[in-house]
Amino acid sequence: MDLLDKMATYVRVVEAGSFSAAAKQLRISAAAVSRQIATLETELRATLLRRSTRRMAITPAGRRYYESCLRVLREVDDARAVAGGATTDGFLLVSAR
């Protein structure tokens, strides 16, 4: 899984408020979401979310990372839209016998 996918999953977890709610939205298991977030935290060497059996809370570093992820993911979407807009315009005439 690439970094952008993990960032998108992290944003979904923060916005959904729980791993299980994010998993439902992403249509994957809560365990898969948990693994992605754990891998992301390991790669970043930072704790983004504090978890207990009943609660999840975002850390200050997690809040800053969330805001950065939103910016990056918006930029990626914008870049895709620009690239997708670079299509050829015109008419295509097809004849068949």
Side-chain angles (χ1 to χ4, degrees), residues 6 56 81 90:
K6 287 184 259 188
M56 178 194 80

Side-chain angles (χ1 to χ4, degrees), residues 67-85:
E67 291 166 0
S68 294
C69 287
L70 286 178
R71 281 192 302 276
V72 168
L73 294 171
R74 272 192 223 112
E75 288 291 326
V76 168
D77 285 344
D78 290 347
R80 285 182 179 158
V82 167

Side-chain angles (χ1 to χ4, degrees), residues 1 4-37 73:
M1 171 151 300
L4 288 176
D5 290 333
K6 287 184 259 188
M7 291 170 81
T9 299
Y10 177 68
V11 166
R12 187 66 61 105
V13 168
V14 171
E15 291 176 352
S18 73
F19 285 67
S20 59
K24 282 181 186 177
Q25 293 174 9
L26 294 167
R27 297 182 181 179
I28 59 176
S29 70
V33 170
S34 181
R35 278 192 303 273
Q36 288 180 31
I37 300 304
L73 294 171

Side-chain angles (χ1 to χ4, degrees), residues 18-20 50-57:
S18 73
F19 285 67
S20 59
R50 297 219 186 274
R51 307 160 190 73
S52 71
T53 54
R54 297 183 185 259
R55 293 191 50 172
M56 178 194 80

Side-chain angles (χ1 to χ4, degrees), residues 29-68:
S29 70
V33 170
S34 181
R35 278 192 303 273
Q36 288 180 31
I37 300 304
T39 301
L40 183 61
E41 288 177 323
T42 300
E43 290 172 2
L44 296 173
R45 296 185 182 129
T47 301
L48 302 174
L49 301 167
R50 297 219 186 274
R51 307 160 190 73
S52 71
T53 54
R54 297 183 185 259
R55 293 191 50 172
M56 178 194 80
I58 190 167
T59 64
R63 173 63 57 193
R64 289 189 303 273
Y65 188 70
Y66 168 76
E67 291 166 0
S68 294

